[in-house]
Amino acid sequence: MAVVLTTARAFATCEAAKKVLNDAGHEIRIITPDKPLKAEELIPLVKDVDAVIAGLDFITPDVINAAPKLKIIARNGVGYDRVDVTTAKKNNIEVTITPGTNSLSVCELAFSFITGLARKIHVMDTSVCAGSWKRENGIELNGKTIAIFGTGAIGRNLAIRCTAFGMKVLAYDLYQNEELKEKYGVKYYDSMTPLFESADFISLHLPATEQTRNMINKESISKMKKGVYIINTARGDLINNDDLYEALTSGYIGGVGLDAFTEEPFTDSRFFNHKNVILTPHTGAFTQDAIVKTLVMAAQDVVRVLDGNKPLHSVSQ
């Protein structure tokens, strides 16, 4: 029997994922933090565990080195920039992700931001609840241009939905999707600049890397159309918050929808109650459907590794 630590907040209520581990005879230790755990919080929890099913926790070299029995870190999602994969490899620890399980959920939240900002639904909801009856002039999506940065599973699904609404879709990705080009008319560019210059909406679906961190900054904003809407359901590090706020308050940016932040919970009160801002608590993948698919896939790879087999969704090979 191995010990599996789970820090993904939804695991406590996911009976299907629990069953995968229980049927394999493993002990489950469930932690339900209200925010991603930092290294100093994780270290005392991992000392005798064989596997971790992790949320957005910071799994640093110190955490990994504090867990001599650890064989697998299974990320509950597709992003793994908070896991030190290099140290994991050195310690013969597998790092896995759950590709495709929550892509529709995140895509649909991004599209909800697009429609919500376009029609200023959040502003009118507040108005009606306050006893007012003020209408807001919105815009139609038909004929508008959206720039999608990253056309993996999430960005691909978003592109398909945007074309169905009559939007022109521009895309940036190191790996171009031939189906999107041929079937849906998506136009790819090798540079980000044409997308910044042409877009009415920008939606971010890239990992946080040395090349993408702070990609939304004063310089890139200066290339954008006045009134552009920016949606981020990927990583908070993609946006420079100071530059974004400055452009919002000046009215240069028309509005933003944010589900990912540099610090979580998000405490930058400058963005609170701003009529052109919609904020959600990193909830893109948080649907009943996605939770079950994601946690079951993570648990299945844990069982494979603890049985001495290779995982199906490793990023550390």
Side-chain angles (χ1 to χ4, degrees), residues 175-243:
Y175 305 97
Q176 298 184 8
N177 185 306
E178 294 301 319
E179 178 202 23
L180 290 181
K181 290 196 293 185
E182 295 172 9
K183 186 175 180 180
Y184 297 99
V186 173
K187 185 171 184 179
Y188 277 88
Y189 288 89
D190 295 327
S191 166
M192 294 184 181
T193 298
L195 278 73
F196 289 140
E197 294 174 340
S198 304
D200 300 297
F201 291 84
I202 288 172
S203 194
L204 305 178
H205 304 282
L206 294 170
T209 67
E210 192 173 322
Q211 290 72 37
T212 62
R213 285 188 179 90
N214 287 316
M215 60 178 282
I216 303 299
N217 55 35
K218 186 171 292 188
E219 180 183 357
S220 61
I221 290 170
S222 70
K223 299 174 183 176
M224 298 176 192
K225 288 183 180 179
K226 189 177 188 299
V228 66
Y229 295 93
I230 298 175
I231 291 94
N232 185 14
T233 55
R235 287 290 180 263
D237 291 347
L238 302 179
I239 295 178
N240 182 301
N241 286 339
D242 291 335
D243 294 348

Coordinates of all heavy atoms in Angstrom, one line a residue, residues 175-243:
Y175 N 3.0 25.8 -33.1 CA 2.6 24.6 -33.9 C 1.2 24.9 -34.4 O 0.2 24.9 -33.7 CB 2.5 23.3 -33.0 CG 3.9 23.1 -32.3 CD1 4.1 23.4 -31.0 CD2 4.9 22.4 -33.0 CE1 5.3 23.2 -30.4 CE2 6.1 22.2 -32.4 CZ 6.3 22.6 -31.1 OH 7.5 22.3 -30.5
Q176 N 1.1 25.2 -35.7 CA -0.1 25.6 -36.3 C -1.0 24.4 -36.5 O -0.6 23.3 -36.9 CB 0.2 26.3 -37.7 CG 1.0 27.5 -37.5 CD 1.2 28.3 -38.8 OE1 0.6 27.9 -39.9 NE2 2.0 29.3 -38.8
N177 N -2.3 24.6 -36.3 CA -3.3 23.6 -36.4 C -3.9 23.6 -37.8 O -4.6 24.6 -38.2 CB -4.4 23.8 -35.4 CG -5.5 22.7 -35.3 OD1 -6.1 22.4 -36.4 ND2 -5.7 22.1 -34.2
E178 N -3.6 22.6 -38.6 CA -4.0 22.6 -40.0 C -5.6 22.5 -40.2 O -6.1 23.1 -41.1 CB -3.4 21.4 -40.7 CG -1.9 21.5 -40.9 CD -1.4 22.7 -41.6 OE1 -2.1 23.1 -42.6 OE2 -0.5 23.3 -41.2
E179 N -6.2 21.8 -39.2 CA -7.7 21.8 -39.3 C -8.3 23.1 -39.1 O -9.2 23.5 -39.8 CB -8.2 20.8 -38.2 CG -9.7 20.7 -38.1 CD -10.3 20.3 -36.8 OE1 -9.6 20.5 -35.8 OE2 -11.4 19.8 -36.8
L180 N -7.8 23.9 -38.2 CA -8.3 25.3 -38.0 C -8.1 26.1 -39.2 O -9.0 26.9 -39.6 CB -7.6 25.9 -36.8 CG -8.0 25.4 -35.4 CD1 -7.2 26.2 -34.3 CD2 -9.5 25.4 -35.1
K181 N -7.0 26.0 -39.9 CA -6.7 26.8 -41.1 C -7.6 26.4 -42.2 O -8.2 27.2 -42.9 CB -5.2 26.6 -41.5 CG -4.3 27.3 -40.5 CD -2.9 27.5 -41.1 CE -2.2 26.2 -41.4 NZ -0.8 26.4 -41.9
E182 N -7.7 25.1 -42.5 CA -8.4 24.6 -43.6 C -9.9 24.5 -43.5 O -10.7 24.9 -44.4 CB -7.9 23.2 -44.0 CG -6.4 23.2 -44.4 CD -5.8 21.8 -44.6 OE1 -6.6 20.8 -44.6 OE2 -4.6 21.7 -44.7
K183 N -10.4 24.1 -42.3 CA -11.8 24.0 -42.1 C -12.5 25.2 -41.6 O -13.7 25.5 -41.9 CB -12.1 22.8 -41.2 CG -13.6 22.4 -41.0 CD -13.7 21.2 -40.2 CE -15.2 20.8 -40.0 NZ -15.3 19.6 -39.1
Y184 N -11.8 26.0 -40.8 CA -12.4 27.1 -40.1 C -11.9 28.5 -40.5 O -12.3 29.5 -40.0 CB -12.3 27.0 -38.6 CG -13.0 25.7 -38.1 CD1 -12.4 24.5 -37.8 CD2 -14.4 25.7 -37.9 CE1 -13.0 23.4 -37.4 CE2 -15.1 24.6 -37.4 CZ -14.4 23.5 -37.2 OH -15.1 22.3 -36.8
G185 N -10.9 28.5 -41.4 CA -10.4 29.8 -41.9 C -9.6 30.6 -41.0 O -9.4 31.8 -41.1
V186 N -9.0 29.9 -39.9 CA -8.2 30.6 -39.0 C -6.9 31.0 -39.7 O -6.2 30.2 -40.3 CB -7.9 29.7 -37.7 CG1 -6.9 30.4 -36.8 CG2 -9.2 29.5 -37.0
K187 N -6.4 32.3 -39.4 CA -5.2 32.7 -40.1 C -4.1 32.8 -39.0 O -4.2 33.5 -38.0 CB -5.4 34.1 -40.7 CG -4.2 34.6 -41.5 CD -4.5 35.9 -42.3 CE -3.3 36.3 -43.1 NZ -3.6 37.5 -43.9
Y188 N -3.0 32.1 -39.2 CA -1.9 32.1 -38.3 C -0.8 33.1 -38.7 O -0.7 33.4 -39.9 CB -1.2 30.7 -38.3 CG -1.9 29.7 -37.4 CD1 -2.9 28.9 -37.9 CD2 -1.5 29.5 -36.1 CE1 -3.5 28.0 -37.1 CE2 -2.1 28.6 -35.3 CZ -3.1 27.8 -35.7 OH -3.7 26.9 -34.9
Y189 N -0.2 33.7 -37.7 CA 1.0 34.5 -37.9 C 2.2 34.0 -37.1 O 2.0 33.4 -36.0 CB 0.6 36.0 -37.4 CG -0.3 36.7 -38.3 CD1 -1.7 36.6 -38.1 CD2 0.1 37.5 -39.4 CE1 -2.6 37.3 -39.0 CE2 -0.7 38.1 -40.2 CZ -2.1 38.0 -40.0 OH -3.0 38.7 -40.8
D190 N 3.4 34.3 -37.6 CA 4.6 33.9 -36.9 C 5.0 34.9 -35.8 O 5.9 34.6 -35.0 CB 5.7 33.7 -37.9 CG 5.5 32.5 -38.8 OD1 4.8 31.5 -38.4 OD2 5.9 32.6 -40.0
S191 N 4.4 36.1 -35.9 CA 4.7 37.1 -34.9 C 3.5 37.5 -34.2 O 2.3 37.4 -34.7 CB 5.3 38.3 -35.7 OG 5.3 39.5 -34.8
M192 N 3.6 38.0 -32.9 CA 2.4 38.4 -32.2 C 1.9 39.8 -32.6 O 0.7 40.1 -32.4 CB 2.8 38.5 -30.7 CG 3.1 37.2 -30.0 SD 3.4 37.4 -28.2 CE 3.8 35.7 -27.7
T193 N 2.8 40.6 -33.2 CA 2.5 42.0 -33.5 C 1.2 42.1 -34.4 O 0.3 42.9 -34.0 CB 3.6 42.7 -34.1 OG1 4.7 42.7 -33.2 CG2 3.3 44.1 -34.5
P194 N 1.1 41.4 -35.5 CA -0.1 41.5 -36.3 C -1.4 41.2 -35.5 O -2.5 41.8 -35.8 CB 0.1 40.5 -37.4 CG 1.5 40.3 -37.5 CD 2.0 40.4 -36.1
L195 N -1.4 40.3 -34.6 CA -2.5 40.0 -33.8 C -2.9 41.2 -32.9 O -4.1 41.5 -32.7 CB -2.3 38.7 -33.0 CG -2.5 37.4 -33.7 CD1 -1.4 37.1 -34.7 CD2 -2.7 36.2 -32.7
F196 N -1.9 41.7 -32.2 CA -2.1 42.9 -31.3 C -2.7 44.0 -32.1 O -3.6 44.7 -31.7 CB -0.8 43.4 -30.7 CG -0.2 42.5 -29.7 CD1 1.2 42.2 -29.6 CD2 -1.0 41.8 -28.8 CE1 1.7 41.4 -28.7 CE2 -0.5 41.0 -27.8 CZ 0.9 40.8 -27.8
E197 N -2.3 44.2 -33.4 CA -2.7 45.4 -34.2 C -4.1 45.2 -34.7 O -4.8 46.2 -34.9 CB -1.7 45.6 -35.3 CG -0.3 46.0 -34.9 CD 0.7 46.1 -36.0 OE1 0.4 45.4 -37.1 OE2 1.7 46.7 -35.9
S198 N -4.6 44.0 -34.9 CA -5.8 43.8 -35.6 C -7.0 43.4 -34.7 O -8.2 43.5 -35.2 CB -5.6 42.7 -36.7 OG -4.6 43.0 -37.6
A199 N -6.8 43.0 -33.5 CA -7.8 42.3 -32.7 C -8.8 43.3 -32.0 O -8.4 44.3 -31.5 CB -7.1 41.4 -31.7
D200 N -10.0 42.9 -32.0 CA -11.0 43.5 -31.2 C -11.1 42.8 -29.8 O -11.4 43.4 -28.8 CB -12.4 43.4 -31.8 CG -12.5 44.1 -33.2 OD1 -12.2 45.4 -33.2 OD2 -12.7 43.4 -34.2
F201 N -10.8 41.5 -29.9 CA -10.7 40.7 -28.6 C -9.4 39.9 -28.7 O -8.9 39.5 -29.7 CB -11.8 39.7 -28.6 CG -13.2 40.3 -28.3 CD1 -13.9 40.8 -29.4 CD2 -13.7 40.4 -27.1 CE1 -15.2 41.3 -29.2 CE2 -15.0 40.9 -26.9 CZ -15.7 41.4 -27.9
I202 N -8.8 39.8 -27.5 CA -7.5 39.0 -27.4 C -7.8 37.9 -26.3 O -8.3 38.3 -25.2 CB -6.3 39.9 -27.0 CG1 -5.9 40.7 -28.2 CG2 -5.2 39.0 -26.5 CD1 -4.9 41.8 -27.8
S203 N -7.5 36.7 -26.6 CA -7.7 35.6 -25.6 C -6.4 34.8 -25.4 O -5.8 34.4 -26.4 CB -8.8 34.7 -26.0 OG -9.2 33.9 -24.9
L204 N -5.9 34.7 -24.2 CA -4.6 34.1 -23.9 C -4.7 32.7 -23.5 O -5.5 32.3 -22.6 CB -3.9 34.9 -22.8 CG -3.7 36.4 -23.1 CD1 -3.1 37.1 -21.9 CD2 -3.0 36.7 -24.4
H205 N -4.0 31.8 -24.2 CA -4.0 30.4 -23.9 C -2.6 29.8 -24.0 O -2.4 28.7 -24.5 CB -5.0 29.6 -24.8 CG -6.4 30.2 -24.7 ND1 -7.2 29.9 -23.7 CD2 -7.0 31.1 -25.5 CE1 -8.4 30.6 -23.9 NE2 -8.2 31.3 -25.0
L206 N -1.6 30.5 -23.5 CA -0.2 30.1 -23.6 C 0.3 29.8 -22.2 O -0.2 30.3 -21.2 CB 0.6 31.2 -24.2 CG 0.4 31.6 -25.6 CD1 1.1 32.9 -26.0 CD2 0.8 30.5 -26.5
P207 N 1.3 28.9 -22.1 CA 2.0 28.7 -20.8 C 2.8 29.9 -20.4 O 3.2 30.7 -21.3 CB 2.8 27.5 -21.0 CG 3.1 27.6 -22.5 CD 1.9 28.1 -23.1
A208 N 3.2 30.1 -19.2 CA 4.1 31.1 -18.7 C 5.5 30.7 -18.9 O 6.0 29.8 -18.2 CB 3.8 31.5 -17.3
T209 N 6.2 31.3 -19.9 CA 7.6 30.9 -20.1 C 8.4 32.2 -20.2 O 7.8 33.3 -20.0 CB 7.7 30.2 -21.5 OG1 7.4 31.1 -22.5 CG2 6.8 29.0 -21.6
E210 N 9.7 32.1 -20.4 CA 10.5 33.2 -20.5 C 10.1 34.1 -21.6 O 10.2 35.4 -21.5 CB 12.0 32.8 -20.7 CG 13.0 33.9 -20.5 CD 14.4 33.3 -20.6 OE1 14.7 32.2 -20.0 OE2 15.3 34.0 -21.2
Q211 N 9.6 33.5 -22.7 CA 9.1 34.3 -23.8 C 7.8 34.9 -23.7 O 7.5 36.0 -24.3 CB 9.1 33.4 -25.1 CG 10.5 33.0 -25.6 CD 11.2 31.9 -24.7 OE1 10.5 31.1 -24.1 NE2 12.5 32.1 -24.5
T212 N 6.9 34.4 -22.8 CA 5.5 34.9 -22.8 C 5.2 35.7 -21.5 O 4.2 36.4 -21.5 CB 4.5 33.7 -22.8 OG1 4.7 32.8 -21.7 CG2 4.7 32.9 -24.1
R213 N 6.0 35.6 -20.5 CA 5.7 36.4 -19.3 C 5.7 37.8 -19.6 O 6.5 38.4 -20.3 CB 6.8 36.1 -18.2 CG 6.6 34.7 -17.5 CD 7.5 34.5 -16.3 NE 7.3 33.2 -15.7 CZ 7.9 32.1 -16.0 NH1 8.8 32.2 -17.0 NH2 7.6 31.0 -15.4
N214 N 4.6 38.5 -19.1 CA 4.4 39.9 -19.3 C 4.3 40.3 -20.8 O 4.6 41.4 -21.2 CB 5.6 40.8 -18.7 CG 5.5 40.8 -17.2 OD1 4.4 41.0 -16.6 ND2 6.6 40.6 -16.5
M215 N 3.7 39.4 -21.6 CA 3.5 39.6 -23.0 C 2.5 40.8 -23.2 O 2.5 41.5 -24.2 CB 3.1 38.4 -23.7 CG 1.8 37.7 -23.3 SD 1.4 36.3 -24.2 CE 0.7 37.1 -25.7
I216 N 1.6 40.9 -22.2 CA 0.7 42.0 -22.3 C 1.3 43.1 -21.4 O 1.2 43.0 -20.1 CB -0.7 41.6 -21.8 CG1 -1.3 40.5 -22.6 CG2 -1.7 42.8 -21.8 CD1 -1.4 40.8 -24.1
N217 N 1.9 44.1 -22.0 CA 2.6 45.1 -21.3 C 2.4 46.5 -22.0 O 1.6 46.5 -23.0 CB 4.1 44.8 -21.1 CG 4.7 44.5 -22.5 OD1 4.4 45.2 -23.5 ND2 5.7 43.6 -22.5
K218 N 3.0 47.5 -21.5 CA 2.8 48.8 -22.1 C 3.1 48.8 -23.6 O 2.4 49.4 -24.4 CB 3.7 49.8 -21.4 CG 3.4 51.3 -21.8 CD 4.1 52.3 -20.9 CE 3.6 52.3 -19.5 NZ 4.1 53.3 -18.6
E219 N 4.2 48.2 -24.0 CA 4.6 48.2 -25.4 C 3.6 47.4 -26.3 O 3.2 48.0 -27.3 CB 6.0 47.5 -25.5 CG 6.5 47.4 -27.0 CD 7.8 46.7 -27.1 OE1 8.4 46.3 -26.1 OE2 8.2 46.6 -28.3
S220 N 3.2 46.2 -25.8 CA 2.2 45.5 -26.7 C 0.8 46.2 -26.7 O 0.2 46.2 -27.7 CB 2.1 44.0 -26.2 OG 1.6 44.0 -24.9
I221 N 0.5 46.8 -25.6 CA -0.8 47.5 -25.5 C -0.8 48.7 -26.4 O -1.9 49.0 -27.1 CB -1.1 47.9 -24.0 CG1 -1.4 46.7 -23.2 CG2 -2.3 48.9 -24.0 CD1 -1.5 47.0 -21.7
S222 N 0.3 49.3 -26.6 CA 0.4 50.5 -27.5 C 0.1 50.1 -28.9 O -0.2 50.9 -29.8 CB 1.7 51.2 -27.3 OG 2.8 50.3 -27.9
K223 N 0.3 48.8 -29.3 CA 0.1 48.3 -30.6 C -1.4 48.0 -30.9 O -1.8 47.7 -32.0 CB 0.9 47.1 -30.9 CG 2.4 47.4 -30.8 CD 3.2 46.1 -31.0 CE 4.7 46.3 -30.8 NZ 5.5 45.1 -30.8
M224 N -2.2 47.9 -29.8 CA -3.5 47.4 -29.9 C -4.5 48.5 -30.3 O -4.3 49.7 -30.2 CB -4.0 46.8 -28.6 CG -3.2 45.6 -28.1 SD -3.7 45.1 -26.5 CE -2.4 43.9 -26.0
K225 N -5.7 48.0 -30.8 CA -6.8 49.0 -31.1 C -7.3 49.6 -29.8 O -7.4 48.9 -28.8 CB -7.9 48.2 -31.8 CG -7.7 47.8 -33.2 CD -9.0 47.1 -33.7 CE -8.9 46.6 -35.1 NZ -10.2 46.0 -35.5
K226 N -7.7 50.8 -29.9 CA -8.4 51.4 -28.7 C -9.7 50.7 -28.5 O -10.4 50.4 -29.5 CB -8.6 52.9 -29.0 CG -9.2 53.6 -27.7 CD -9.3 55.1 -28.0 CE -9.6 55.9 -26.7 NZ -10.9 55.4 -26.1
G227 N -10.0 50.3 -27.3 CA -11.2 49.6 -27.0 C -11.1 48.1 -27.0 O -12.2 47.4 -26.9
V228 N -9.9 47.6 -27.2 CA -9.8 46.1 -27.3 C -10.2 45.4 -26.0 O -10.0 46.1 -24.9 CB -8.3 45.8 -27.6 CG1 -7.4 46.2 -26.5 CG2 -8.1 44.3 -27.9
Y229 N -10.7 44.2 -26.0 CA -11.0 43.4 -24.8 C -10.0 42.3 -24.7 O -9.6 41.7 -25.7 CB -12.4 42.8 -25.0 CG -13.5 43.8 -25.0 CD1 -14.0 44.3 -26.3 CD2 -14.1 44.3 -23.9 CE1 -15.0 45.3 -26.4 CE2 -15.1 45.3 -23.9 CZ -15.6 45.7 -25.2 OH -16.6 46.7 -25.2
I230 N -9.5 42.1 -23.5 CA -8.5 41.1 -23.2 C -9.0 40.1 -22.2 O -9.5 40.4 -21.2 CB -7.2 41.7 -22.6 CG1 -6.6 42.7 -23.7 CG2 -6.2 40.7 -22.3 CD1 -5.4 43.5 -23.2
I231 N -8.9 38.8 -22.6 CA -9.3 37.7 -21.7 C -8.1 36.8 -21.4 O -7.3 36.4 -22.3 CB -10.4 36.8 -22.5 CG1 -11.7 37.6 -22.6 CG2 -10.7 35.5 -21.7 CD1 -11.8 38.4 -23.9
N232 N -8.0 36.5 -20.1 CA -6.9 35.6 -19.7 C -7.4 34.5 -18.8 O -7.8 34.7 -17.7 CB -5.8 36.4 -18.9 CG -4.6 35.5 -18.6 OD1 -4.4 34.4 -19.1 ND2 -3.8 36.0 -17.7
T233 N -7.5 33.3 -19.4 CA -7.8 32.1 -18.6 C -6.6 31.1 -18.5 O -6.8 29.9 -18.2 CB -9.0 31.4 -19.3 OG1 -8.7 31.0 -20.6 CG2 -10.3 32.2 -19.2
A234 N -5.4 31.6 -18.7 CA -4.2 30.8 -18.8 C -3.4 30.9 -17.6 O -3.5 30.2 -16.6 CB -3.5 31.1 -20.1
R235 N -2.5 31.9 -17.6 CA -1.6 32.2 -16.4 C -1.5 33.7 -16.2 O -1.4 34.5 -17.1 CB -0.2 31.6 -16.8 CG -0.1 30.1 -16.7 CD -0.2 29.6 -15.3 NE -0.2 28.2 -15.2 CZ -1.2 27.3 -15.1 NH1 -2.4 27.8 -15.2 NH2 -1.0 26.0 -15.0
G236 N -1.5 34.0 -14.9 CA -1.5 35.4 -14.5 C -0.2 36.1 -15.0 O -0.2 37.3 -15.3
D237 N 0.9 35.4 -15.0 CA 2.2 35.9 -15.4 C 2.2 36.5 -16.8 O 3.2 37.1 -17.2 CB 3.3 34.9 -15.2 CG 3.6 34.6 -13.8 OD1 3.1 35.3 -12.9 OD2 4.2 33.6 -13.5
L238 N 1.2 36.2 -17.6 CA 1.2 36.7 -19.0 C 1.0 38.2 -19.1 O 1.2 38.8 -20.1 CB 0.2 35.9 -19.8 CG 0.3 34.4 -19.9 CD1 -0.8 33.8 -20.7 CD2 1.7 34.0 -20.5
I239 N 0.5 38.7 -18.0 CA 0.0 40.1 -18.0 C 0.8 41.0 -17.0 O 0.9 40.5 -15.8 CB -1.5 40.2 -17.8 CG1 -2.3 39.6 -18.9 CG2 -1.9 41.7 -17.6 CD1 -3.8 39.6 -18.7
N240 N 1.2 42.1 -17.4 CA 1.8 43.1 -16.4 C 0.6 43.9 -15.9 O 0.0 44.7 -16.6 CB 2.8 44.0 -17.1 CG 3.4 45.0 -16.2 OD1 2.7 45.8 -15.5 ND2 4.7 45.0 -16.1
N241 N 0.3 43.7 -14.6 CA -0.9 44.3 -14.0 C -0.9 45.8 -14.0 O -1.9 46.4 -14.2 CB -1.2 43.7 -12.6 CG -1.7 42.3 -12.6 OD1 -2.2 41.8 -13.6 ND2 -1.5 41.6 -11.5
D242 N 0.2 46.4 -13.7 CA 0.3 47.8 -13.6 C 0.0 48.4 -15.0 O -0.7 49.4 -15.1 CB 1.7 48.3 -13.2 CG 2.0 47.9 -11.7 OD1 1.0 47.8 -11.0 OD2 3.2 47.7 -11.4
D243 N 0.6 47.9 -16.1 CA 0.4 48.4 -17.4 C -1.1 48.2 -17.8 O -1.7 49.0 -18.5 CB 1.3 47.7 -18.4 CG 2.8 48.1 -18.1 OD1 3.0 49.0 -17.4 OD2 3.7 47.4 -18.7

